[in-house]
Amino acid sequence: MTTGNYPDTSSSTNTATAYNDDDDDDDDKPERGLSHVPQRYVLNPLHRSVSDPQAADVPVVDLADLHKGPAQRSTVIQGIKNACLHHGFFQVVNHGICQSVLDGVMESAKGFFELPEEEKLKYISKDVHKPVRCGTSLKDQADKVQFWRVFLKHYAHPVSQWIDLWPNDPPNYRKNMGEYSAEVMNLAIELMEAITESLGLGPNYLGKEMEEGMQVIILNCYPPCPDPRLALGLPPHSDYSCFTILLQSSQGLEIKDFLDGEWKVVPHKVDGSLQVHIGDHLEVLSNGIYRSLIHRATLNSEKNRISIASLHSMGLEKKMVTAAELVDEQHPRGYRESSFKDFLNFLATVDGSEGKSFLDSLKITN
């Protein structure tokens, strides 16, 4: 996904090239089909993706048994616990969202990015607090190092509150995105119940807070890059949310493996599965038992890659705190409380390429 904590990619020791004002040209945006990689997108070789990364071990959780009975539910909960502990992510199948809804929202996302530029310009903004905004890189030309993506972000829950602010082009955008947003929100509530149960907190620990919480939909388009070895679509980061549910059109997501710290590619499966990433607020809630996933977006030279991330957290100003049940003398509280609004305020004041971490700002150090 797509917003959160970014390791340093811009200091003199970490980048191959410094930011050049002469290179800051709107004609050098990636969606323009460039024949070269502008200097401001070029990363230090140490921070580039390798050409043939190892495939990640992807835990798959079948949600079909979640409501079949205590024994079957217990098996699913244990599978989610193992995935959160050892991987920080998992894929879900039999999640209840039909393929036609997934196909429809992906079609609408592709349609938005194919619109004439003047249509997309209606939503351009560098104000991270706006409920609907479009841009490039992390903060649309504001970062010292740029990243090869175009994005559209908008709030989505409840759909009725936000849908009139969404794009109405392509014509089916609001219908398809509305259906997907509502269904993935229901899935998120179900997943949160399972995750808190896996922590020993019970399924209803955050039920109401999630039902009344925030859902931010982020559409990412990673255009073909003339030399994918030189740049990234998004730098290594974790998501601020409790978790992110991700739908993607093709391979390009890489995760930092919990076990060996190596970057590994997540194989793309065209089977209706969805990816779930543990975010910063679940790390805070669990007192570090579950860690947020570090991931990045890589590029290809052949076609657009589209991802649709649904980030789920509590209400805008609702503070996530570490569960008291997970704090004791041997495991003291390790994190300060924070809200989605706190994250937005943090994001507004930092250069995302400089490595300042929202999660690190929450950690309590002795």
Side-chain angles (χ1 to χ4, degrees):
M1 196 306 337
T2 47
T3 56
N5 306 299
Y6 299 90
D8 192 348
T9 57
S10 70
S11 69
S12 59
T13 58
N14 283 337
T15 58
T17 58
Y19 184 68
N20 183 346
D21 288 337
D22 294 336
D23 199 32
D24 188 11
D25 187 339
D26 283 347
D27 289 337
D28 278 351
K29 290 184 178 181
E31 68 268 33
R32 294 185 180 275
L34 302 177
S35 60
H36 69 290
V37 178
Q39 201 74 0
R40 57 200 169 100
Y41 292 93
V42 177
L43 298 174
N44 182 292
L46 294 175
H47 298 120
R48 299 174 192 171
S49 177
V50 299
S51 58
D52 188 22
Q54 183 179 347
D57 178 18
V58 183
V60 177
V61 175
D62 189 339
L63 297 181
D65 290 340
L66 203 55
H67 302 292
K68 286 186 176 179
Q72 293 95 325
R73 181 178 179 85
S74 178
T75 299
V76 177
I77 298 299
Q78 187 61 48
I80 289 174
K81 181 175 183 176
N82 291 339
C84 292
L85 281 172
H86 303 300
H87 300 273
F89 77 105
F90 52 93
Q91 288 181 347
V92 289
V93 297
N94 292 318
H95 44 65
I97 304 178
C98 66
Q99 190 63 47
S100 63
V101 173
L102 302 179
D103 293 342
V105 75
M106 185 59 71
E107 175 190 356
S108 292
K110 292 177 179 177
F112 175 81
F113 291 116
E114 291 169 355
L115 291 174
E117 187 166 352
E118 57 268 23
E119 286 297 315
K120 289 179 282 188
L121 282 173
K122 296 176 182 178
Y123 304 98
I124 291 288
S125 175
K126 296 179 183 178
D127 181 359
V128 300
H129 295 89
K130 291 196 70 170
V132 181
R133 68 185 184 98
C134 184
T136 62
S137 188
L138 299 178
K139 290 197 294 184
D140 199 26
Q141 312 295 311
D143 302 305
K144 293 178 182 177
V145 175
Q146 297 290 295
F147 296 94
W148 200 270
R149 75 151 179 170
V150 188
F151 68 83
L152 173 69
K153 299 184 181 184
H154 56 65
Y155 295 173
H157 180 70
V159 170
S160 59
Q161 182 176 340
W162 303 110
I163 192 169
D164 290 339
L165 300 179
W166 296 352
N168 51 20
D169 269 327
N172 59 358
Y173 183 91
R174 292 181 178 178
K175 174 182 179 295
N176 289 344
M177 185 58 69
E179 289 179 355
Y180 178 74
S181 297
E183 293 204 26
V184 82
M185 185 68 194
N186 290 334
L187 173 60
I189 293 170
E190 184 174 60
L191 285 172
M192 181 56 83
E193 291 175 351
I195 289 170
T196 56
E197 186 172 343
S198 76
L199 285 167
L201 302 173
N204 300 318
Y205 189 83
L206 285 180
K208 183 177 181 181
E209 285 83 355
M210 292 301 290
E211 290 176 9
E212 298 175 353
M214 296 292 298
Q215 179 187 20
V216 180
I217 296 288
I218 305 178
L219 282 61
N220 296 298
C221 176
Y222 305 101
C225 179
D227 193 343
R229 300 170 302 169
L230 299 180
L232 286 172
L234 278 174
H237 67 282
S238 62
D239 296 336
Y240 71 85
S241 55
C242 292
F243 53 79
T244 299
I245 300 174
L246 183 72
L247 172 67
Q248 52 186 340
S249 65
S250 57
Q251 186 167 294
L253 173 69
E254 290 188 355
I255 60 95
K256 193 168 188 179
D257 193 281
F258 274 11
L259 298 179
D260 60 20
E262 296 295 322
W263 286 105
K264 298 180 180 179
V265 65
V266 176
H268 179 62
K269 298 181 179 180
V270 191
D271 61 359
S273 62
L274 294 168
Q275 184 99 359
V276 180
H277 298 169
I278 299 304
D280 296 344
H281 274 172
L282 262 181
E283 182 166 334
V284 171
L285 173 71
S286 70
N287 206 24
I289 295 173
Y290 294 167
R291 291 176 288 158
S292 56
L293 178 72
I294 304 294
H295 53 290
R296 67 185 182 185
T298 61
L299 305 168
N300 72 81
S301 60
E302 299 174 356
K303 61 182 179 180
N304 283 349
R305 174 176 169 261
I306 306 293
S307 70
I308 304 172
S310 183
L311 283 76
H312 298 269
S313 60
M314 299 192 302
L316 182 65
E317 299 187 14
K318 185 77 173 179
K319 300 282 188 178
M320 175 62 80
V321 300
T322 298
E325 296 88 337
L326 303 178
V327 175
D328 56 31
E329 189 173 328
Q330 289 74 38
H331 305 92
R333 189 180 307 275
Y335 302 84
R336 298 177 181 85
E337 63 181 26
S338 73
S339 67
F340 176 40
K341 186 174 182 179
D342 292 332
F343 167 73
L344 291 177
N345 292 336
F346 174 88
L347 184 63
T349 60
V350 300
D351 179 339
S353 66
E354 288 187 338
K356 295 179 180 178
S357 166
F358 179 62
L359 182 61
D360 284 349
S361 74
L362 303 180
K363 292 180 179 179
I364 298 172
T365 57
N366 295 327

